Amino acid sequence: ATMDLASMFQTTIEKAGLELIVDVNDDDHDGGGDDDTSVYVDLDMWEKIFFNLLSNAFKYTVKGRIYISLRKICIMIGEPSPARRRLTHMQLKVRDTGVGIPQQALPRVFERFYRVEGVHGRSYEGTGIGLALTMELTKLHGGSASVESEVGVGSTF
């Protein structure tokens, strides 16, 4: 599903002179629907999370690339025993070579209606709701969202 979502942006991103790299790795998925290794998401929510992050990367990247990484992470919980269990989750990263976000703005980027001042992208539209929605939908899936960024270098969500 993630590759299909990324392919919807491929032409637009390439026409803008950017490179889109998609790296989806779920090699340890056994395909059997085992509760220990399968990760279940609400597809509608997943699409919103993915589109918000990829749209922002495109909006604020004028040259360079956008890199999407999706990894299945398995963590063993407890001491080795029959009661030990595996916690499986997905890690989505969207990294760009865009304008970046000033360090003082980073703590607020997931706040509803917050817009970083003085940062210019492809367009000036937006309400400051996208990243707040991304955070809320991620939390509904039991996850979290974070950002790393450097002005003039790019951002990773």
Side-chain angles (χ1 to χ4, degrees):
T2 303
M3 293 296 286
D4 293 337
L5 294 173
S7 70
M8 292 180 187
F9 276 84
Q10 185 85 39
T11 303
T12 302
I13 289 171
E14 289 175 355
K15 280 184 182 177
L18 301 174
E19 181 181 12
L20 177 64
I21 302 166
V22 182
D23 181 13
V24 175
N25 180 351
D26 62 354
D27 291 342
D28 60 339
H29 179 63
D30 63 9
D34 181 328
D35 286 344
D36 284 343
T37 60
S38 296
V39 176
Y40 299 95
V41 296
D42 178 292
L43 195 52
D44 186 52
M45 288 186 198
W46 177 251
E47 287 178 2
K48 285 180 175 67
I49 291 167
F50 188 85
F51 283 141
N52 277 323
L53 294 176
L54 188 51
S55 295
N56 277 356
F58 178 69
K59 180 177 178 179
Y60 293 105
T61 304
V62 178
K63 63 180 182 174
R65 69 185 50 88
I66 298 170
Y67 176 78
I68 299 166
S69 168
L70 183 66
R71 295 276 182 269
K72 184 180 286 188
I73 312 279
C74 295
I75 303 168
M76 298 306 290
I77 299 174
E79 297 298 319
S81 74
R84 187 175 190 185
R85 59 188 197 102
R86 181 185 346 199
L87 175 64
T88 305
H89 68 274
M90 298 303 290
Q91 179 186 64
L92 171 67
K93 286 188 177 185
V94 177
R95 185 175 72 223
D96 63 57
T97 57
V99 297
I101 303 167
Q103 292 298 308
Q104 67 271 18
L106 291 177
R108 299 194 59 203
V109 295
F110 293 104
E111 291 178 14
R112 191 177 301 256
F113 304 117
Y114 180 74
R115 296 192 52 179
V116 179
E117 305 240 351
V119 174
H120 302 290
R122 236 170 251 293
S123 69
Y124 297 104
E125 55 197 49
T127 58
I129 293 177
L131 289 176
L133 177 64
T134 295
M135 176 64 87
E136 289 175 28
L137 295 176
T138 302
K139 284 181 177 179
L140 285 172
H141 278 92
S144 63
S146 63
V147 60
E148 297 174 9
S149 189
E150 186 176 337
V151 173
V153 175
S155 302
T156 301
F157 285 87

